[in-house]
């Protein structure tokens, strides 16, 4: 190891490979390699980093994978040039907010095979992050602040303990791959259609009953969904034919309908009532008649062919959620929507 460091010192090297050298303590003289851009320390027995590494202000890639770290070294939060950080296969339980908040140029973050339970809200600082992998940890919650990472292209949170995903994740409009297999997800948040670049989805081994509205309109090339609890197509008789709408729902439907007409007085005045606009933003449209509604709807499901409807190589059908505005619509003939019965 000493020879490698000395050679790098006299050679003015910009990279140093100390991987698989049985290293326990980083030599402080490494801090003299101020032009270093790549430092590989993976496959060792490192438990901490010396504060002297603060001098490595040009360091762009740091690999600390497969070591004995129990916490993320504080010095990392001051290496502002870091673009790639590998911390896989350690014993880390927490991502300190003060560290993650200082890594604003990070493009890749690999935290696989640790024991992390939560990601701090300060993750919003990683605005340049493209690749995030937290595979095989103990994650129970994903912060809503993940939605600030609009350059994210790939997220891997396979093998964790997630029971839900934040809807803010759909603000990551550049997302192409979403891996959340082997968690405890019972649903995916509505609005996934916003991820117009999504090509790969892996939700295998969860507890999903169906996919969210308009899921089948995504440009997917790969979908892995085996091992879930999808609803089945079993015909039953409807138990309700009419519904009595509340005054709030009736007014909301009227306003939503009028808002579609740019020349209507309602449309022109709505911008003056931000609270009302925010309330109506949660409305939806009937999958059959396209009429708008706020909260009163009939939950249905339709079974989409992966090959025919989604143009994928896979065969089979998946259940996709659909919302209808009334039992009247549901009772019309010629549609392929099924009501979802609770048992």
């Amino acid at each position: 190891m000493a020879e490698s460091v000395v050679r790098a010192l006299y050679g003015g090297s910009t990279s140093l490979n100390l991987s698989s050298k049985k290293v326990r303590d980083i030599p402080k003289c490494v801090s003299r390699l101020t032009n270093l851009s790549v430092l590989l320390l993976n496959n060792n027995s490192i438990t901490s980093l010396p504060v002297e590494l603060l001098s490595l202000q040009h360091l762009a890639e740091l690999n600390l994978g497969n070591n004995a770290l129990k916490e993320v070294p504080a010095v990392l939060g001051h290496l502002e040039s870091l673009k790639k950080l590998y911390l896989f296969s350690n014993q880390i339980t927490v991502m300190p907010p003060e560290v993650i908040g200082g890594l604003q140029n990070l493009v890749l973050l690999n935290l696989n095979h640790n024991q992390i339970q939560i990601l701090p809200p300060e993750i919003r600082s990683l605005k340049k992050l493209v690749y995030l992998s937290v595979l095989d940890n103990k994650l129970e919650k994903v912060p809503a602040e993940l939605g600030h990472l609009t350059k994210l292209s790939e997220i891997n949170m396979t093998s964790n303990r997630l029971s839900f995903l934040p809807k803010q994740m759909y603000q990551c409009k550049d997302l192409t791959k979403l891996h959340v297999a082997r968690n405890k997800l019972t649903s995916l948040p509505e609005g996934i259609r916003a991820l117009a670049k999504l090509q790969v989805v892996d939700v295998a081994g969860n507890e999903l009953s169906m996919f969210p509205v308009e899921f089948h309109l995504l440009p997917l090339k790969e979908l892995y969904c085996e091992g879930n609890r999808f609803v089945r197509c079993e015909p039953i008789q409807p138990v309700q034919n009419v519904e009595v709408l509340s005054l709030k729902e009736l007014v909301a439907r009227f306003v939503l309908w009028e808002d579609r007409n740019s020349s209507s007085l309602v449309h022109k005045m709505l911008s003056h009532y931000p609270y009302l606009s925010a309330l109506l933003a949660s409305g939806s449209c009937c999958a059959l008649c396209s009429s708008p509604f706020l909260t009163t709807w009939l939950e249905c499901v339709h079974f989409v062919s992966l090959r025919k409807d989604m143009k994928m190589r896979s065969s089979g059908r998946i259940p996709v959620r659909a919302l209808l505005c009334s039992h009247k619509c549901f009772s019309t003939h010629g549609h392929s929507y099924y009501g979802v019965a609770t048992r």
Side-chain angles (χ1 to χ4, degrees):
M1 178 184 67
E3 292 180 3
S4 300
V5 176
V6 171
R7 193 180 305 117
L9 274 170
Y10 286 99
S13 179
T14 58
S15 65
L16 177 61
N17 187 351
L18 297 179
S19 59
S20 305
K21 301 287 187 180
K22 299 181 180 180
V23 177
R24 290 183 178 273
D25 299 302
I26 308 300
K28 293 182 180 180
C29 59
V30 171
S31 62
R32 294 168 57 188
L33 298 167
T34 53
N35 291 323
L36 212 59
S37 62
V38 177
L39 178 56
L40 307 181
L41 298 169
N42 50 301
N43 306 326
N44 285 297
S45 302
I46 298 168
T47 58
S48 63
L49 295 182
V51 69
E52 284 80 7
L53 293 190
L54 278 170
S55 63
L56 305 183
Q57 288 300 309
H58 295 289
L59 197 63
E61 179 177 342
L62 176 60
N63 193 331
L64 285 164
N66 196 20
N67 273 285
L69 294 170
K70 292 185 177 181
E71 56 185 30
V72 179
V75 67
L76 297 185
H78 301 281
L79 300 179
E80 298 180 358
S81 294
L82 270 184
K83 293 183 177 180
K84 297 181 180 181
L85 177 58
Y86 301 87
L87 290 167
F88 61 86
S89 299
N90 278 280
Q91 303 163 35
I92 298 169
T93 57
V94 176
M95 277 301 294
E98 62 275 12
V99 174
I100 205 167
L103 298 172
Q104 299 180 10
N105 288 306
L106 214 57
V107 174
L108 179 152
L109 178 59
N110 186 324
L111 299 169
N112 295 347
H113 311 299
N114 279 288
Q115 302 175 40
I116 300 170
Q117 293 184 349
I118 60 171
L119 294 174
E122 285 75 10
I123 197 171
R124 63 177 173 266
S125 301
L126 310 184
K127 296 185 183 298
K128 296 182 180 181
L129 201 65
V130 175
Y131 178 91
L132 172 63
S133 191
V134 201
L135 180 150
D136 186 27
N137 274 269
K138 296 181 178 180
L139 273 186
E140 297 181 354
K141 184 179 178 181
V142 177
E145 286 78 6
L146 193 71
H148 290 264
L149 311 186
T150 54
K151 292 189 176 182
L152 268 180
S153 176
E154 183 171 347
I155 298 175
N156 192 337
M157 295 182 177
T158 294
S159 296
N160 278 281
R161 301 174 179 177
L162 299 173
S163 57
F164 71 95
L165 297 175
K167 63 181 180 180
Q168 290 84 354
M169 180 180 290
Y170 296 156
Q171 296 170 13
C172 305
K173 299 296 180 66
D174 284 342
L175 201 63
T176 60
K177 297 179 181 180
L178 176 60
H179 299 272
V180 286
R182 297 188 293 282
N183 277 281
K184 299 180 180 179
L185 299 174
T186 56
S187 65
L188 297 177
E190 295 297 331
I192 197 170
R193 182 71 177 92
L195 299 179
K197 298 181 181 180
L198 199 58
Q199 296 182 9
V200 178
V201 171
D202 186 356
V203 291
N206 279 283
E207 301 173 18
L208 302 179
S209 60
M210 64 183 77
F211 288 98
V213 172
E214 296 187 338
F215 180 84
H216 59 295
L217 300 181
L218 292 169
L220 294 185
K221 294 182 179 180
E222 300 176 32
L223 173 62
Y224 306 96
C225 58
E226 62 276 5
N228 280 279
R229 301 175 179 177
F230 292 127
V231 296
R232 297 181 180 180
C233 182
E234 298 177 358
I236 59 173
Q237 292 295 321
V239 296
Q240 184 177 347
N241 294 316
V242 296
E243 55 269 300
V244 178
L245 302 179
S246 67
L247 179 60
K248 175 183 177 181
E249 182 66 25
L250 287 170
V251 173
R253 291 189 180 198
F254 171 77
V255 173
L256 285 167
W257 185 268
E258 286 294 308
D259 189 40
R260 291 180 173 183
N261 182 1
S262 59
S263 61
S264 75
L265 180 61
V266 171
H267 175 80
K268 294 177 180 178
M269 296 299 295
L270 200 54
S271 61
H272 297 286
Y273 300 90
Y275 174 78
L276 181 57
S277 298
L279 176 66
L280 297 176
S282 62
S284 191
C285 293
C286 179
L288 271 178
C289 71
S290 298
S291 296
F293 56 86
L294 183 58
T295 57
T296 303
W297 39 262
L298 180 66
E299 184 177 37
C300 293
V301 63
H302 58 129
F303 294 87
V304 174
S305 168
L306 295 175
R307 182 167 294 174
K308 181 180 178 181
D309 300 318
M310 298 183 69
K311 312 303 180 186
M312 297 176 65
R313 295 179 180 179
S314 307
S315 58
R317 292 176 175 270
I318 59 169
V320 176
R321 190 168 181 248
L323 305 179
L324 303 189
C325 68
S326 65
H327 283 273
K328 180 180 178 181
C329 262
F330 181 61
S331 298
T332 58
H333 298 287
H335 66 75
S336 58
Y337 297 102
Y338 297 83
V340 180
T342 56
R343 297 181 178 179

